[in-house]
Amino acid sequence: MGARHTVDKDRVIALAEGIVSERGAAALTIDAVAKAAGITKGGVQSSFGTKDALIAAMLDKWMSEDDRRFRDYLGDGPASPARKVAAHVKVTHQQDEATHSRAVSLLISLLQSTEHLESARRWYARRIDGLQDDNENDERALLAFLAAEGAFFLKFLKLIDIDQDRWDRIFTLIDKLLVHGEGDV
């Protein structure tokens, strides 16, 4: 009996992200991931179980990486809801093309499962939690959040061609919506 090989889950997730990014969500199959990783379908299934579990692992990785960048911008201590939005805008602006492509690919994949959709909804809700409808600063923060997300999806779903200079100008305008203070982000 041969030695059992361990599967590098992070590598498999990265390859799955590449498949979705390059060929679309419909191309993501256990077989396609196995071929890309140079392992058997059984190797992928023993690591993740199902395609749905693989998508969940991809989504979890993206959210964890984004949350880490978000916390880095936010820093220590309590932060107002508007300051959290300011950190979200900064993270959205400063991610690289590969990160954005992966995020969009994962969000497209969410359409395949209500469980993943609920996870994403909770993630987004945490980003704007506490904003008050009767507070002008919070309303401006919500508008900045929506503008950043709109720009993100329009650019990375390739609905509008936005080069880096224009991207930076857009985020300069979005930043002007935010009322800065209490330890700017």
Side-chain angles (χ1 to χ4, degrees):
M1 194 161 163
R4 186 175 176 120
H5 297 283
T6 57
V7 173
D8 181 347
K9 285 185 173 185
D10 289 334
R11 180 175 171 271
V12 172
I13 290 170
L15 291 167
E17 290 168 346
I19 289 168
V20 175
S21 182
E22 293 168 18
R23 301 187 313 215
L28 183 64
T29 65
I30 295 291
D31 187 53
V33 173
K35 285 179 182 171
I39 59 177
T40 65
K41 285 172 60 173
V44 176
Q45 290 170 321
S46 71
S47 296
F48 296 98
T50 64
K51 176 181 164 181
D52 197 51
L54 174 60
I55 292 170
M58 293 165 62
L59 183 61
D60 184 57
K61 178 182 175 196
W62 169 68
M63 287 182 181
S64 295
E65 289 173 356
D66 198 80
D67 284 344
R68 180 191 48 76
R69 285 188 294 275
F70 174 78
R71 286 187 308 275
D72 287 348
Y73 274 105
L74 204 52
D76 295 328
S80 70
R83 188 158 171 260
K84 290 178 192 175
V85 169
H88 177 84
V89 168
K90 293 255 188 221
V91 169
T92 301
H93 176 212
Q94 296 185 355
Q95 292 180 18
D96 62 13
E97 184 81 24
T99 302
H100 280 298
S101 295
R102 178 175 59 238
V104 170
S105 298
L106 289 173
L107 292 173
I108 291 168
S109 299
L110 292 175
L111 298 174
Q112 297 183 17
S113 167
T114 56
E115 179 184 328
H116 301 311
L117 184 57
E118 284 306 313
S119 177
R121 283 180 175 157
R122 286 189 303 272
W123 184 87
Y124 274 108
R126 284 192 307 272
R127 292 294 169 100
I128 60 171
D129 184 46
L131 291 176
Q132 304 296 314
D133 291 338
D134 61 350
N135 178 307
E136 183 180 344
N137 291 344
D138 285 2
E139 287 176 339
R140 291 171 64 91
L142 179 60
L143 185 58
F145 176 83
L146 295 172
E149 289 302 293
F152 170 85
F153 283 110
L154 289 170
K155 178 178 180 173
F156 294 101
L157 288 174
K158 300 186 186 318
L159 298 171
I160 295 178
D161 187 25
I162 302 175
D163 64 19
Q164 187 63 45
D165 184 54
R166 189 173 189 196
W167 182 251
D168 292 342
R169 287 193 322 270
I170 288 168
F171 276 86
T172 296
L173 292 170
I174 291 170
D175 192 55
K176 288 179 182 179
L177 290 170
L178 298 166
V179 175
H180 293 283
E182 66 154 285
D184 288 338
V185 177

